[in-house]
Amino acid sequence: MYRLLTFLQKYYPLLIFLLLEVFALNLIVRNNHYHKAVFNNGVSNFTGNTFETWQDITGYFGLRKQNRKLAEENARLRNHQISSFRASDRKIFVWNDTVYQQQFQYISAQIVNATVNRKKNFFLINKGKNQGIEKNMGVISPDGVVGVIKSVSSNFSLVLPIINIEANVAARIEKNDQGGLVSWDGRHFSAGVMKGIPGHVKLEKGDTIITSGQSLFFPEGLPVGYVSGFKKNRSDNFYTVGVRFAVDFNSLTHVYIISNLLAEEQINLLKAIEDEQ
Amino acid sequence: MNNNLLQLVRFLILVATQILVLNKVQFAGYINPYIYILFILLLPLRTPPLVMIILGFLLGFAIDMFSGMMGIHTFSTLFVAYFRNRIIKLVLGIGPDDFISDMGIRDLGITRFLYYAGFITLIHHILLFYLEVFSFRQSGDTLLRILLNTMVSLVFIFIAMILFERKRYET
């Protein structure tokens, strides 16, 4: 007993050190994703508010650029307004009212904290459960696809952007409708890769890559990026396509969250098929 | 200034600088300077081991809370905090009985300080970046990140020391 006590007295810093290291390792392994660790224990509101205050202060420096982007988007939206069109045919009126059912709703939000230089980047935005955000909703910016909502707290949510090595987006080449998966290779935040394009397809630098519409989270046809280069794999005759992302993740501040009003229906249908098999 | 108060202020300033400014700085998509371990570097030589451990843990945890992945900064900062005095003994040959109160440039000199800071920063970064990717695949890529980041962190630490170290003893 006495020996044990002297042992403890001599080595207690080592024991505490080991204990805390095991605790840290446990955090790493168990919560490899930020959201579990941070979002379940109330820390999120504190960190979120800190970043939001800081964003309020530093946000002014980018106002000019943001204004320009918003103005550009306003102009684009104005082009789509009914008042910008002249009715040339009576049928259009009928179509507008009954044929189109709204499928996607947009909620605007601001990024309060973002990382672009990790392998597993995350963005924190200032809207959460209280504002109608739910897990797996798509996130876009005026320029194109940003990512999906990974987790939500009451007033903040965490976005898993394309520039996270665990993310990928179903996409297709606009001009020939060839589908593939766009993901990130963990290097620079402006470039990713697209896989799954068969080798017989003709590609060119600068081809636009858009969302395929097969994903539940994004409407069809949003820009994801542009082809910056391509290489045919000898082994399986598929291309590895270099992608320049449409979104500049480093200067991103305003985003829209897309809620798919028909997502539940689609998911239920898919589930029904799976259950039958 | 009272030494404990000085340490507290240093802690807060370094954590704030790290999470609000430096975590948003990046060069070439690869590099993110980590200046906060300067707090561990500058702790007095006679700090009791238990205090070193607790401060290392708190510092890492504070950075973790604000930077995306839990645990990686805690683990690596705690590690260098625990082994710091042993590393000092190994690298500089200074033990706890030597009369050096401050581990800054003023007392150590530029070469010895950089040697010491570089060693600890390197160990910290090796742990940090391997824990971040959590695999030994693409090790070349990770090693490149470690080396570049260590150099940049060291430059930032050096600049901070030049700018903010008090020039004379206060009596």
Side-chain angles (χ1 to χ4, degrees), chain B residues 4-24:
Chain B
N4 288 343
L5 190 63
L6 173 74
Q7 301 293 347
L8 179 68
V9 170
R10 196 183 276 153
F11 185 96
L12 293 177
I13 289 178
L14 283 174
V15 170
T17 316
Q18 185 65 49
I19 61 179
L20 295 178
V21 183
L22 290 183
N23 275 1
K24 297 171 197 295

Side-chain angles (χ1 to χ4, degrees), chain A residues 168-195:
Chain A
N168 54 49
V169 178
R172 62 180 165 87
I173 309 276
E174 190 177 22
K175 73 173 181 194
N176 51 25
D177 290 347
Q178 291 290 339
L181 272 186
V182 173
S183 58
W184 190 51
D185 53 7
R187 288 165 194 275
H188 195 268
F189 60 81
S190 67
V193 285
M194 182 177 191
K195 293 207 166 135

